């Protein structure tokens, strides 16, 4: 069992990778030879069919992420936080392990015997990932680049030359000093669990659909209250909602490892395993096909806006969210694109005032979101998959406040413009909305500082009664000004 062996950072002894011909095949009780090492093939600790390093979906995602990280590296040191991924592409948290075999190994380890993990067929990163995930092995080794040179007894580490027990393939020949053990009964893969409706709704992020009400803003600001325009706008909201669901699923597939390490995001359906990745990909494809079918039924131009939205949100998921400040600009733009889409859907010119106001107000909310995420991180930790550090928190708060109150300034300039006089009979009444808007922005900043907003300030606003009262008051003022 002396194929050339490789050491890893955690190895205390090299593990043999092949056993010599001539070994004894007598089955012995592993718990009676308390000093005799036990060598286990990696396939013996996994449920059959689960040892594929990565399925097609995650392998494609891994390759795309690697490409995105390579591009991000040109933008500064924040790219370093995304490096160091396992080059095998294997995620042991997604694999199915044989619990009976693991319990058996723990029992052997508890008797004072060293337990080693090895493989002839899997590369070292795969074996290392399994060993570190289970945490029951003294050391491990694997086939270096899948080469199988002739074994020599003198290559065995000293700890194994006096003899060892082996659990693994019957095709592997054992040296005379080794014995083959019968493995515990193999666990069968669990039957696929039924996915509940709640998990699907959570995967599609239906609770986020309220954000797509921004598509209706041009309908209201342009005073297009005809039934035809309203119906078209509602179809546009549905198209954006389905497209956003597809983008959310893609983002969850990309961030599955980071989500599993997050205190709240680990409950997401893909990260928790409630919905398999293959089913999630099918749901993503269905949502996107439906979204673009509706979009093209509205107009080719609206389909182009929706395609641009999806391209931008996909770029954000793969790449842009890893670049500090670029990520919040992109988030603000994604909100604003919804407003642009609403204008294109009903064929009204996009107001430059509305465009500027949207960019600044949503930039403020995106910065508040990052501030909240940073505030929830332990001291000295870099925000996962982002380029921010804890000391950036105060600057982010300043930028968030500046962006929010710049939106108020833009609103006051809009009130004084010729555009307002063409749409409103009493534009002076719109000034009453300014202190309400200032109050709401200041309140969001204060609540974020106090830790009273858990995650997304937009979702907070949708659940906050005071925010609804403020929105209703501004809407009533605008109607009174017409």
């Amino acid at each position: 069992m002396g194929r050339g062996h490789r050491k890893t950072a955690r190895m205390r002894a090299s593990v043999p990778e092949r056993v010599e011909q001539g070994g004894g095949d007598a089955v012995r009780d592993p718990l009676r030879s308390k000093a005799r090492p036990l060598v286990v093939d990696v396939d013996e600790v996994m449920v059959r069919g689960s040892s594929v390093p990565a399925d097609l979906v995650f392998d494609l995602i891994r390759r795309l992420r690697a490409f995105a990280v390579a591009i991000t590296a040109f933008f500064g040191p924040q790219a370093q936080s995304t490096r160091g991924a396992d080059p095998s592409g294997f995620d042991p948290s997604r694999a199915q392990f044989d619990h009976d075999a693991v319990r058996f190994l723990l029992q052997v380890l508890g008797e004072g015997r060293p337990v080693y993990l090895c493989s002839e067929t899997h590369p070292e990163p795969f074996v290392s990932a399994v060993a570190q995930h289970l945490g029951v092995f003294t050391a491990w080794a694997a086939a270096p680049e899948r080469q199988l040179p002739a074994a020599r007894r003198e290559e065995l580490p000293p700890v194994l030359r006096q003899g060892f027990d082996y659990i693994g393939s019957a095709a592997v020949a054992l040296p005379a000093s080794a014995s083959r053990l019968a493995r515990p009964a193999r666990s069968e893969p669990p039957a696929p669990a039924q996915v509940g409706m709640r998990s699907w709704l959570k995967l599609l992020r239906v609770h986020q659909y309220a954000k797509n009400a921004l598509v209706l803003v041009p309908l209201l600001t342009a005073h297009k209250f005809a039934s035809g325009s309203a119906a078209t706008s509602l179809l546009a909201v549905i198209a954006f909602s389905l497209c956003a669901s597809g983008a959310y699923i893609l983002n969850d597939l990309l961030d599955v490892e980071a989500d599993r390490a997050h205190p709240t995001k680990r409950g997401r359906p893909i990260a928790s395993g409630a919905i398999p990745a293959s089913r999630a990909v099918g749901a993503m494809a269905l949502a996107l096909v439906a979204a673009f079918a509706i979009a093209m039924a509205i107009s080719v131009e609206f389909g182009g806006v929706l395609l641009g939205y999806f391209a931008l949100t996909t770029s954000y998921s793969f790449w842009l969210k890893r670049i500090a400040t670029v990520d919040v600009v992109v988030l603000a733009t994604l909100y604003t694109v919804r407003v642009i889409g609403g204008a294109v859907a009903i064929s009204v010119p996009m107001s430059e005032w509305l465009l500027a106001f949207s960019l600044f107000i949503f930039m403020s909310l995106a910065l508040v979101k990052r501030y909240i995420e940073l505030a929830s991180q332990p001291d000295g930790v870099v925000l996962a998959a982002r380029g921010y550090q804890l000391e950036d928190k105060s600057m982010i708060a300043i930028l968030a406040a500046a962006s929010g109150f710049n939106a108020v300034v833009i609103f006051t300039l809009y009130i004084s413009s010729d555009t307002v006089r063409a749409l409103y009979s009493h534009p002076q009444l719109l000034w009453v909305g300014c202190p309400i808007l200032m109050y709401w922005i200041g309140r969001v900043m204060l609540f974020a500082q106090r830790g009273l907003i858990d995650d997304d300030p937009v979702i907070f606003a949708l659940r906050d009664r005071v925010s609804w009262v403020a929105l209703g008051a501004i809407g009533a003022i605008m109607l009174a000004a017409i």
Side-chain angles (χ1 to χ4, degrees):
M1 187 172 176
R3 240 177 350 113
H5 54 269
R6 298 178 66 183
K7 296 184 178 180
T8 68
R10 291 183 53 185
M11 273 190 154
R12 283 170 281 174
S14 298
V15 180
E17 299 169 3
R18 186 173 180 83
V19 289
E20 299 282 353
Q21 183 67 34
D25 289 336
V27 177
R28 67 170 68 241
D29 181 358
L31 300 180
R32 291 182 181 176
S33 302
K34 295 185 178 181
R36 192 174 175 90
L38 176 64
V39 178
V40 182
D41 188 272
V42 68
D43 287 328
E44 300 303 310
V45 298
M46 306 187 75
V47 174
R48 294 191 187 278
S50 69
S51 60
V52 179
D55 56 36
L56 294 178
V57 173
F58 279 90
D59 185 61
L60 176 61
I61 290 173
R62 176 178 60 84
R63 294 175 186 273
L64 291 174
R65 185 190 289 117
F67 175 72
V69 170
I71 295 176
T72 309
F74 290 102
F75 285 82
Q78 63 268 22
Q80 299 293 335
S81 62
T82 63
R83 297 174 185 170
D86 178 8
S88 70
F90 172 67
D91 180 4
S93 63
R94 292 174 42 243
Q96 294 178 339
F97 292 97
D98 190 329
H99 298 296
D100 291 335
V102 174
R103 279 194 294 268
F104 170 78
L105 296 178
L106 284 171
Q107 187 179 7
V108 172
L109 197 66
E111 293 293 325
R113 296 182 60 191
V115 180
Y116 300 95
L117 185 68
C118 68
S119 178
E120 289 187 325
T121 58
H122 295 292
E124 188 274 333
F126 179 86
V127 179
S128 174
V130 171
Q132 295 187 59
H133 179 73
L134 294 178
V136 299
F137 298 100
T138 305
W140 58 89
E145 300 180 359
R146 298 184 182 270
Q147 300 299 314
L148 301 175
R152 296 189 300 274
R153 178 177 177 81
E154 58 269 19
E155 292 181 353
L156 288 174
V159 69
L160 298 179
R161 291 176 187 171
Q162 303 303 317
F164 59 89
D165 293 329
Y166 174 76
I167 298 178
S169 172
V172 175
L174 298 175
S177 59
S179 299
R180 193 182 308 277
L181 300 183
R183 74 173 314 284
R186 185 180 290 277
S187 303
E188 294 299 325
Q194 293 294 324
V195 181
M197 181 58 66
R198 183 176 181 181
S199 294
W200 284 114
L201 295 177
K202 193 173 181 180
L203 177 71
L204 296 172
R205 302 278 226 290
V206 173
H207 64 284
Q208 300 275 13
Y209 283 3
K211 295 179 180 180
N212 298 308
L214 294 170
V215 176
L216 302 175
V217 170
L219 180 77
L220 302 176
T221 57
H223 303 168
K224 294 282 186 178
F225 301 124
S227 59
S229 297
T232 300
S233 292
L234 289 176
L235 284 175
V237 170
I238 295 173
F240 264 97
S241 297
L242 292 172
C243 185
S245 288
Y248 283 133
I249 295 173
L250 177 61
N251 185 74
D252 286 355
L253 289 168
L254 291 171
D255 282 353
V256 63
E257 291 91 353
D259 287 349
R260 283 173 178 148
H262 195 277
T264 58
K265 294 179 181 180
R266 62 187 178 188
R268 288 178 176 177
I270 299 176
S272 65
I275 296 180
S278 56
R279 294 191 189 182
V281 171
M284 178 181 69
L286 184 61
L288 292 176
V289 168
F292 284 100
I294 296 172
M296 296 305 294
I298 294 175
S299 69
V300 175
E301 292 79 9
F302 179 75
V305 173
L306 191 65
L307 180 61
Y309 168 84
F310 181 71
L312 185 58
T313 192
T314 302
S315 299
Y316 173 82
S317 296
F318 275 108
W319 171 31
L320 298 176
K321 68 180 179 181
R322 296 177 174 85
I323 307 174
T325 67
V326 171
D327 62 327
V328 289
V329 172
V330 172
L331 285 177
T333 303
L334 288 172
Y335 282 115
T336 305
V337 169
R338 291 175 168 95
V339 179
I340 296 173
V344 172
I346 59 175
S347 301
V348 297
M350 180 64 193
S351 167
E352 294 180 357
W353 293 107
L354 180 59
L355 179 63
F357 178 82
S358 299
L359 280 172
F360 277 98
I361 193 69
F362 293 124
M363 179 70 172
S364 175
L365 295 178
L367 287 163
V368 170
K369 179 179 173 67
R370 288 293 174 264
Y371 176 89
I372 295 168
E373 290 176 345
L374 274 175
S376 66
Q377 298 296 311
D379 290 347
V381 174
V382 177
L383 187 59
R386 304 290 192 268
Y388 298 98
Q389 298 180 355
L390 192 62
E391 53 265 28
D392 299 332
K393 189 169 62 173
S394 59
M395 178 56 68
I396 290 175
I398 294 171
L399 293 174
S403 297
F405 283 92
N406 273 340
V408 177
V409 172
I410 290 171
F411 185 67
T412 60
L413 295 174
Y414 167 71
I415 295 173
S416 304
S417 69
D418 295 335
T419 305
V420 167
R421 296 186 181 92
L423 291 172
Y424 296 92
S425 301
H426 307 286
Q428 305 92 319
L429 291 176
L430 296 177
W431 282 99
V432 181
C434 289
I436 298 176
L437 186 59
M438 294 169 65
Y439 162 74
W440 182 80
I441 293 172
R443 184 171 181 268
V444 168
M445 303 295 170
L446 189 61
F447 275 32
Q449 171 71 27
R450 293 176 178 177
L452 299 178
I453 302 178
D454 293 333
D455 187 14
D456 193 331
V458 175
I459 298 300
F460 163 78
L462 293 173
R463 298 172 179 171
D464 179 45
R465 182 172 59 184
V466 174
S467 297
W468 280 104
V469 171
L471 178 63
I474 292 176
I477 291 169
M478 294 180 70
L479 288 175
I482 294 178

